[in-house]
Amino acid sequence: MKLKWIVNGAILILIFVPTGLIGYSGSLPPISADIPACDSGISFIDACDSAIMVDDGITIPTAIAGLISADVNVEWGSNDVWVGIVSAEYAEQCIDGGNGYLVCDTEDLEFVAGGPDAEGSLEWSVAGGDLRAVVGNSLGGEKETVNIEFSYNVKLTPFIGYGIGIFGVALILLGIKVD
């Protein structure tokens, strides 16, 4: 019997259960955001036809997206305000709004998650790519401040998680079988 193989197999199984099946869940501190009214007072911006995009995005490498599965839930508690996720490629079509924001025509955006049809929340299964967050106000919406709350669940993809678990079981069986 090879004790090292049995111990290594047991360690892999102990890692597999919490990371592969259950994962890690948590939340981020709420963010307070000021959403402009449809008539923003700026001559070329009608916030009902436009989306406000953050100038800096987040890049999620495709390799990481292939190893982990992440689900994000965003809630902001207002049906007049919407939040969406888009590919960063749309930033080229937007106008610089100053202060780290871009102003985009909502009709030109293809949403990965959320968007004008989101009613106070969005659920997003994170995939790889260069992404940006956008916000807007529905028709007739007043200027308001909303608290945006984020929660998430991250775990290994089933292929990786089960692969580690099966490899752990194989190590234990080999450790028992080897003289």
Side-chain angles (χ1 to χ4, degrees):
M1 176 168 24
K2 292 278 190 176
L3 186 59
K4 284 183 182 178
W5 289 19
I6 295 172
V7 170
N8 286 336
I11 289 171
L12 286 176
I13 291 173
L14 290 174
I15 291 171
F16 160 71
V17 171
T19 59
L21 295 178
I22 302 167
Y24 178 76
S25 297
S27 61
L28 300 174
I31 296 173
S32 181
D34 292 327
I35 309 299
C38 286
D39 181 12
S40 63
I42 301 172
S43 61
F44 68 93
I45 297 177
D46 178 1
C48 287
D49 295 333
S50 301
I52 309 300
M53 179 186 291
V54 293
D55 199 16
D56 293 328
I58 184 170
T59 300
I60 302 170
T62 306
I64 289 178
L67 296 174
I68 62 170
S69 171
D71 295 318
V72 176
N73 185 28
V74 183
E75 295 182 9
W76 54 90
S78 172
N79 289 335
D80 289 335
V81 175
W82 57 265
V83 176
I85 307 294
V86 297
S87 174
E89 68 188 37
Y90 292 108
E92 298 170 3
Q93 303 170 5
C94 301
I95 301 167
D96 185 5
N99 295 328
Y101 296 100
L102 303 172
V103 179
C104 311
D105 188 358
T106 305
E107 293 178 1
D108 294 339
L109 302 175
E110 185 176 324
F111 293 90
V112 175
D117 297 331
E119 296 180 355
S121 68
L122 72 87
E123 291 184 14
W124 174 38
S125 294
V126 179
D130 190 12
L131 305 167
R132 306 256 177 115
V134 294
V135 296
N137 208 338
S138 66
L139 187 61
E142 299 291 322
K143 176 182 177 181
E144 65 181 292
T145 300
V146 295
N147 287 325
I148 303 173
E149 298 177 7
F150 301 89
S151 60
Y152 56 88
N153 184 14
V154 179
K155 60 184 176 181
L156 294 173
T157 59
F159 178 75
I160 300 295
Y162 287 116
I164 291 172
I166 290 169
F167 186 66
V169 169
L171 282 176
I172 291 172
L173 294 174
L174 283 172
I176 293 170
K177 185 175 181 177
V178 173
D179 292 328

